[in-house]
Amino acid sequence: MSRRNRIPKSTEKYLELKNRNVWSTAVYARLSYENNGFEDDRSLQNQLNYLLAYIDRHPELRLFDSYVDNGRSGLDFDRAEFRRMLGDIKTSRVNCVLVKDLSRFGRNHIEAGYYLETIFPELGVRFISINDGFDSLCEDDAGSIILPLKNMINEMYARETQRKILAVLRAKEKAGERPFTMMPYGYIVDPDCNFHLLPDQNTSEFVRLVFRMKSEGFGCTAIADRLNEIGAPTPLDYLKSKGKFLSARSSGRWDHVSVQKILENRTYTGATVYNTSGKGDYAVLPGTHEALVEPEVFEEISREMLERSRKRSEALKAAATRAERCPNVLQGRFFCGDCGKAMLYDRSRLRYRCSGYSDFRKTDPSAPPCAKKISSIPEQAVHKFVLDSIRKELRSGDFSELTSEDIPAEPVGIIHLTATSTVEIVASDNPDMIENILRNGLTPELLSKFVEKVWYYSDGSLRIELRGESERW
């Protein structure tokens, strides 16, 4: 048996490509911060010029395209131009990558090593780092221990630099020297000091109006309606008018969410809010700029909004509990007899009301009677009417097809409507089949057997349509 070829496929590809006369080359450049326009040795343009000059000196390299990631960290390989370059590599349009040095390629030593030692060799891609004197086509370079060591050093340098930058930013924030990359609506940056805010004459009055209306008892939706009425630009629209976020979609209208964001922003009290640890711990440095709302007013509004939020949360929990304890068993079967709309179930009041009340103009002569006043009825009254109707139908008809499976497992009692309009459960052990079926009150199973639809009219009357029977009053 002949010996198997132990040369890896990746090496076979290199052996095939080593004698190539031309390499389709991608030049890759990167900066961790946005290029400031200065043509120093770290600028993107100088990186590109350096790479193109290298190609001019090496005729076997033919430029395919340039890939430039501006303002992207080397610790993250999820970069737009880097991904585009990988796409061209995978489609065999590029088989050589040229960079100024390994740190421009990436500073995450694990991912960088994976690309250079696994991905590129498997795809037959040549990698050249000029300043490091590295060329993967050279067997000595490809097997050198210097490559992973340099990648590790680059990553350590990047993380240490990042730590120092954050420490400087934290110190500046604590001193009230927070750089503002995004202006709060209602402020502009002082042209003489980039960490000091000044009221914006174009929008500051709208912010004051928001807080004034809120302190007078208006809700967020009413405030939003007022801002739309007077033509106040939304925060996003105002930024777009300044040439920023031009591709962002905007409705052009204020809503309760945009108003609430302003009411929750402590910057309007004249304070600087900064992150103390980078982990969500915030501190407040008061009196760093002119306030658009008094701190006492802001605190009062905040307490009110917090209390409202707490009550809303409790109401939602209570509603969820009521929904479990008081399911709307008539859903999809109970309608307004005047307009045909579904009757809504108000669990907080245990009443049904017409959902079409707000769909009609009250002054419209053709509007149905339910549009003139809120048409509602207690849940107990509806249940009693339906149960009585089913009971009459059962006692007057032949329902011998009912089996023991139709009887609830644990009878509770018959539901009665008392004089005070509350439900009274009367315990009973009556083994009669019909009474057992009715004993647990209205259930989806009982309704599906007997009830088609139920209607309620604004004059207080009810009408039921039983399955298989004509409509009855």
Side-chain angles (χ1 to χ4, degrees), residues 301-315:
I301 291 174
S302 296
R303 283 193 295 269
E304 178 192 341
M305 293 177 63
L306 184 63
E307 179 65 15
R308 186 183 296 272
S309 177
R310 184 188 65 79
K311 290 182 178 179
R312 186 183 302 114
S313 177
E314 291 179 354

Side-chain angles (χ1 to χ4, degrees), residues 176-230:
E177 300 177 1
R178 173 186 174 184
F180 288 92
T181 56
M182 182 67 66
M183 291 307 98
Y185 184 78
Y187 284 110
I188 58 173
V189 174
D190 188 340
D192 298 326
C193 181
N194 67 354
F195 53 78
H196 184 247
L197 297 178
L198 295 175
D200 186 347
Q201 295 180 355
N202 297 321
T203 56
S204 58
E205 284 305 314
F206 300 133
V207 175
R208 291 189 176 99
L209 175 63
V210 168
F211 283 101
R212 186 167 62 250
M213 290 186 67
K214 185 62 178 176
S215 64
E216 292 173 357
F218 289 91
C220 291
T221 300
I223 297 173
D225 291 340
R226 178 58 179 160
L227 292 171
N228 290 324
E229 181 182 334
I230 63 178

Side-chain angles (χ1 to χ4, degrees), residues 274-283:
Y274 63 91
N275 194 329
T276 59
S277 64
K279 299 179 181 179
D281 301 320
Y282 291 89

Side-chain angles (χ1 to χ4, degrees), residues 393-404:
E393 184 67 17
L394 285 168
R395 287 171 178 167
S396 64
D398 179 14
F399 293 94
S400 58
E401 72 276 9
L402 293 176
T403 67
S404 58

Side-chain angles (χ1 to χ4, degrees), residues 6-258:
R6 294 182 176 273
I7 299 178
K9 291 183 178 180
S10 58
T11 306
E12 291 177 351
K13 291 180 181 179
Y14 273 117
L15 293 176
E16 294 173 2
L17 295 172
K18 193 167 184 179
N19 295 325
R20 280 195 172 186
N21 296 322
V22 176
W23 292 82
S24 180
T25 305
V27 297
Y28 181 76
R30 181 189 64 80
L31 273 186
S32 296
Y33 51 87
E34 290 289 340
N35 193 13
N36 55 17
F38 296 111
E39 296 304 321
D40 55 22
D41 60 342
R42 296 169 297 175
S43 74
L44 288 172
Q45 189 57 53
N46 275 1
Q47 281 189 55
L48 291 174
N49 292 341
Y50 186 72
L51 295 169
L52 295 176
Y54 184 89
I55 289 180
D56 290 339
R57 297 193 302 270
H58 295 77
E60 77 277 12
L61 303 180
R62 178 178 296 170
L63 177 67
F64 176 78
D65 201 354
S66 299
Y67 305 83
V68 180
D69 277 310
N70 192 3
R72 296 308 304 268
S73 170
L75 296 173
D76 179 12
F77 275 81
D78 186 18
R79 316 172 207 140
E81 286 293 278
F82 186 83
R83 292 197 306 268
R84 186 170 72 88
M85 181 178 71
L86 285 181
D88 290 335
I89 289 174
K90 291 176 181 178
T91 54
S92 300
R93 289 183 286 183
V94 169
N95 57 18
C96 181
V97 175
L98 179 67
V99 297
K100 180 183 176 183
D101 55 55
L102 287 170
S103 67
R104 298 305 91 203
F105 181 74
R107 291 186 182 272
N108 184 316
H109 80 279
I110 294 178
E111 288 197 63
Y114 182 63
Y115 280 109
L116 300 182
E117 299 173 25
T118 303
I119 299 296
F120 285 179
E122 285 293 332
L123 295 175
V125 176
R126 180 181 180 184
F127 181 80
I128 302 173
S129 176
I130 300 174
N131 287 355
D132 297 297
F134 178 85
D135 186 344
S136 63
L137 200 61
C138 175
E139 292 184 10
D140 291 338
D141 287 351
S144 174
I145 194 174
I146 298 299
L147 180 66
L149 284 175
K150 283 190 173 182
N151 281 330
M152 291 181 66
I153 292 171
N154 285 330
E155 179 175 350
M156 293 172 62
Y157 175 80
R159 295 192 184 279
E160 181 64 15
T161 302
Q162 186 181 65
R163 187 187 65 78
K164 290 180 179 179
I165 291 174
L166 286 174
V168 171
L169 289 176
R170 296 286 177 262
K172 286 182 173 290
E173 286 178 341
K174 291 179 181 179
E177 300 177 1
R178 173 186 174 184
F180 288 92
T181 56
M182 182 67 66
M183 291 307 98
Y185 184 78
Y187 284 110
I188 58 173
V189 174
D190 188 340
D192 298 326
C193 181
N194 67 354
F195 53 78
H196 184 247
L197 297 178
L198 295 175
D200 186 347
Q201 295 180 355
N202 297 321
T203 56
S204 58
E205 284 305 314
F206 300 133
V207 175
R208 291 189 176 99
L209 175 63
V210 168
F211 283 101
R212 186 167 62 250
M213 290 186 67
K214 185 62 178 176
S215 64
E216 292 173 357
F218 289 91
C220 291
T221 300
I223 297 173
D225 291 340
R226 178 58 179 160
L227 292 171
N228 290 324
E229 181 182 334
I230 63 178
T234 65
L236 179 56
D237 286 336
Y238 189 64
L239 288 173
K240 294 177 75 171
S241 71
K242 299 296 183 181
K244 300 179 180 180
F245 302 102
L246 296 177
S247 61
R249 294 183 179 181
S250 171
S251 65
R253 294 185 60 81
W254 289 84
D255 56 25
H256 73 283
V257 175
S258 52

